Amino acid sequence: MQLTGNLLIGARDVGASEGTMKALNPATNQPIEPAFALGGPTEVDRAATLADEAFDAYSHTSLAVRAAFLEHIADNLDRVRETLAARAALETGLPQAQLEDEALKATTQFRQFADVVRKGRFLQLAIDPEQPERQPRPRMDHRLQKIAIGPVAIFGASNFPIAYSVAGGDTASALAAGATVILKAHNAHPGASEIQARAIREAVQACGLPEGVFSMVRGSGNAIGEALVDHPLIKAVTFTGSEQGGMALYRRAQLRTDPIPVFAEMTSVNPTFILPQALAERGAQIGDGFVERMLVNVGQACLKPAILVAIEGTGFEALRHAMSKRVSEAPARTMLTPGIHAAYLSGLCAIENAGARLVAVGSTSTAEVDGRSALFEVDGQRFLAEPLLSQEVFGPSALLVKVRDEAELLRVARSFKGQLSATLHLEQDDLPLARRLLPPLERRTGRIVVNAFAHPQEVCFATVHGGPFPATSDSRFTSVGMTSIERFLRPVAYQGFPDALLPEPLRDGNPLGLPRLVDGH
């Protein structure tokens, strides 16, 4: 595919109004052709106007048409998978084979959401029939369905250039809900973003949908993101990235004349707790597996297990040795951007300055933005005294926390802020302690894993990728999985409507055969 570098505003290719940029190959620190257009508030306004004009028609498409559209996007992505992965590899330093798997995950999500749309459960249809004879006051007919919230702005993530980017789960779930989408492409992978955006736009055109269903913009600095959040036609925002960036968008959205939701997925250290019997029986195995998962994506994953907590005792030395061995043998690998690499080095210094001891390091870096793995250790008392030690370091490092007893382990668990996940490794004899751990962990995370690791995550109906602040800005929702569609929906009740005027899913006789709650049954 020939890359043009243009912005895609509805059906139009739009050139630069705010200068251009080139992608950077982080492995060589060299720019990659072509130049990519940068836009600003003018392009945002055009995209938002088109999205608003398209919304009424698109949100009222039949479920069959919308599902077919999502499947068409998946087919288009399948056709460009190899090209997309190759370009993403150039722009991120990640292996092409890994990125082809990520592209397959993206197409799978679009097909999964097509199935969600066809089955219609996301509409949450409810009917309370009229009761004209009810005393002391008759009841009118009430019917409810969920509808799309409006045009939404989606900020592409840096660390997964496909599955959390232009063709990621946010886009798939928003389009499935019936929302129109303006995608702000991440500047770390502009070529991969254009390939994905063209696949989506072609599906819009092939399915005969209004051009404003999808647009992709790009800009330098914060101005274009601020313009998206500020635009009065935008009704929701999604963001995956740092706590600083997510909260800046959140606060800005609350200062609007009409505040809107910002669904920000921000920071998590995904703590792992090894309980005593599991430590005695499997300490080395767990330690090796922990570091293996920590190193995925060069430690640049939101579900990276970053902190491991264990009681000093039988199996602890084997655990430390296995972790140290795996870390010391890990080759340095290219990180996503020079900025992320610089922040990683700063984070390592901060951990050491806060009192953690460096236990092991990986092989020496050979390129400018190579991430060298590191393992630190600290005792529970110091960990509890220094909040900085529980902060996320985005990159291939981990912290081993050695606690004295069960009481200190529980205090450490209670010290964590909101997390995307927490993990317990346990055996039968550990169940009493596990039961004591569960309540504090339930209050602090959206997902608890037993005898496995938080990464990778299955994308399904029971998936939860969310948690209390600062993991996310709204713990009531997940940003991954089939129920992530709920972020883009709101309820509407229809009272006293003639059948012919009702939305088709709510009409008498249930013409679409969808699941409905009727008079509470």
Side-chain angles (χ1 to χ4, degrees):
M1 176 184 291
Q2 184 68 38
L3 296 175
T4 68
N6 289 325
L7 308 176
L8 306 186
I9 312 293
R12 293 179 55 210
D13 277 37
V14 176
S17 66
E18 304 283 340
T20 62
M21 60 158 286
K22 289 185 179 179
L24 182 75
N25 183 334
T28 63
N29 210 24
Q30 296 298 311
I32 317 169
E33 296 293 339
F36 289 88
L38 298 173
T42 299
E43 287 71 31
V44 166
D45 182 64
R46 177 59 180 158
T49 300
L50 287 173
D52 187 67
E53 291 172 350
F55 177 76
D56 286 344
Y58 178 64
S59 64
H60 283 78
T61 52
S62 70
L63 299 183
V65 167
R66 203 182 308 167
F69 167 52
L70 296 173
E71 288 171 338
H72 199 113
I73 294 173
D75 291 342
N76 287 351
L77 290 170
D78 275 340
R79 280 192 285 271
V80 299
R81 185 188 307 161
E82 188 173 334
T83 302
L84 171 58
R87 179 70 194 198
L90 273 180
E91 295 177 335
T92 64
L94 298 172
Q96 182 172 339
Q98 175 183 322
L99 291 163
E100 288 192 31
D101 287 343
E102 190 179 322
L104 180 60
K105 178 181 178 181
T107 61
T108 299
Q109 287 185 107
F110 275 94
R111 292 194 172 97
Q112 286 175 309
F113 276 110
D115 188 54
V116 167
V117 170
R118 282 198 176 93
K119 290 177 178 176
R121 293 191 184 94
F122 74 100
L123 296 171
Q124 297 183 35
L125 302 170
I127 299 173
D128 290 310
E130 66 174 346
Q131 294 179 354
E133 307 302 324
R134 192 185 68 173
Q135 295 298 326
R137 182 167 60 87
R139 183 177 77 183
M140 293 183 69
D141 183 271
H142 289 65
R143 306 194 181 208
L144 178 147
Q145 72 167 353
K146 292 287 188 76
I147 69 165
I149 197 169
V152 303
I154 293 174
F155 285 66
S158 65
N159 56 337
F160 289 93
I162 305 171
Y164 285 86
S165 185
V166 179
D170 284 352
T171 301
S173 55
L175 292 173
T180 50
V181 169
I182 302 173
L183 193 295
K184 179 190 173 295
H186 199 285
N187 289 351
H189 46 262
S193 295
E194 181 179 335
I195 293 169
Q196 296 169 74
R198 290 191 178 279
I200 296 172
R201 186 171 75 173
E202 192 282 331
V204 172
Q205 295 168 342
C207 293
L209 299 172
E211 63 171 314
V213 166
F214 177 82
S215 292
M216 183 193 72
V217 298
R218 184 188 307 107
S220 62
N222 297 327
I224 197 163
E226 292 171 351
L228 275 167
V229 175
D230 291 346
H231 202 288
L233 297 178
I234 297 298
K235 299 304 177 186
V237 174
T238 74
F239 171 85
T240 300
S242 69
E243 181 181 347
Q244 179 182 3
M247 290 310 297
L249 296 179
Y250 178 85
R251 293 187 185 102
R252 195 173 188 96
Q254 305 318 304
L255 293 175
R256 288 175 37 144
T257 303
D258 59 329
I260 58 173
V262 173
F263 302 107
E265 187 250 281
M266 297 177 290
T267 181
S268 184
V269 295
N270 308 295
T272 296
F273 299 84
I274 308 181
L275 305 192
Q277 192 61 36
L279 178 65
E281 295 184 15
R282 300 185 281 117
Q285 177 189 345
I286 296 169
D288 183 73
F290 178 94
V291 175
E292 178 189 16
R293 298 297 183 181
M294 178 270 283
L295 294 171
V296 169
N297 249 45
V298 203
Q300 302 162 118
C302 45
L303 288 173
K304 180 194 86 171
I307 295 180
L308 191 152
V309 184
I311 300 172
E312 186 176 19
T314 305
F316 190 88
E317 289 301 321
L319 168 73
R320 180 198 286 125
H321 177 74
M323 295 179 72
S324 300
K325 183 174 185 295
R326 172 70 84 141
V327 166
S328 63
E329 293 173 351
R333 290 175 53 199
T334 304
M335 298 190 75
L336 290 164
T337 68
I340 289 174
H341 178 257
Y344 173 61
L345 296 181
S346 177
L348 296 184
C349 290
I351 288 178
E352 199 157 18
N353 291 338
R357 178 175 66 90
L358 183 63
V359 175
V361 293
S363 60
T364 305
S365 305
T366 57
E368 191 171 342
V369 295
D370 275 358
R372 189 181 186 188
S373 58
L375 174 66
F376 293 87
E377 183 178 338
V378 71
D379 63 62
Q381 186 175 0
R382 181 64 184 170
F383 183 84
L384 290 167
E386 180 49 80
L388 191 146
L389 290 169
S390 63
Q391 300 301 304
E392 180 183 27
V393 177
F394 200 62
S397 70
L399 177 64
L400 175 60
V401 181
K402 178 177 65 178
V403 297
R404 291 173 297 185
D405 51 30
E406 293 184 4
E408 189 167 77
L409 183 141
L410 288 163
R411 285 198 296 274
V412 167
R414 295 188 186 102
S415 74
F416 283 105
K417 295 181 179 179
Q419 303 292 324
L420 293 172
S421 72
T423 296
L424 298 175
H425 286 274
L426 55 85
E427 296 295 332
Q428 186 68 27
D429 290 349
D430 295 317
L431 290 178
L433 177 56
R435 291 190 183 98
R436 295 168 66 197
L437 260 176
L438 275 178
L441 294 184
E442 287 170 342
R443 293 177 60 184
R444 289 163 175 81
T445 186
R447 183 165 66 110
I448 303 171
V449 181
V450 171
N451 289 342
F453 295 96
H455 188 276
Q457 182 178 55
E458 194 70 31
V459 180
C460 57
F461 280 94
T463 296
V464 175
H465 190 68
F469 180 84
T472 70
S473 57
D474 195 330
S475 64
R476 297 170 299 173
F477 297 94
T478 175
S479 62
V480 178
M482 302 303 96
T483 58
S484 64
I485 194 173
E486 293 174 4
R487 295 173 295 171
F488 308 111
L489 298 167
R490 65 178 183 86
V492 174
Y494 305 83
Q495 183 175 337
F497 269 53
D499 194 61
L501 188 58
L502 280 166
E504 192 174 12
L506 289 173
R507 290 178 187 169
D508 290 341
N510 196 5
L512 300 181
L514 300 177
R516 310 195 299 189
L517 187 69
V518 180
D519 209 12
H521 300 283

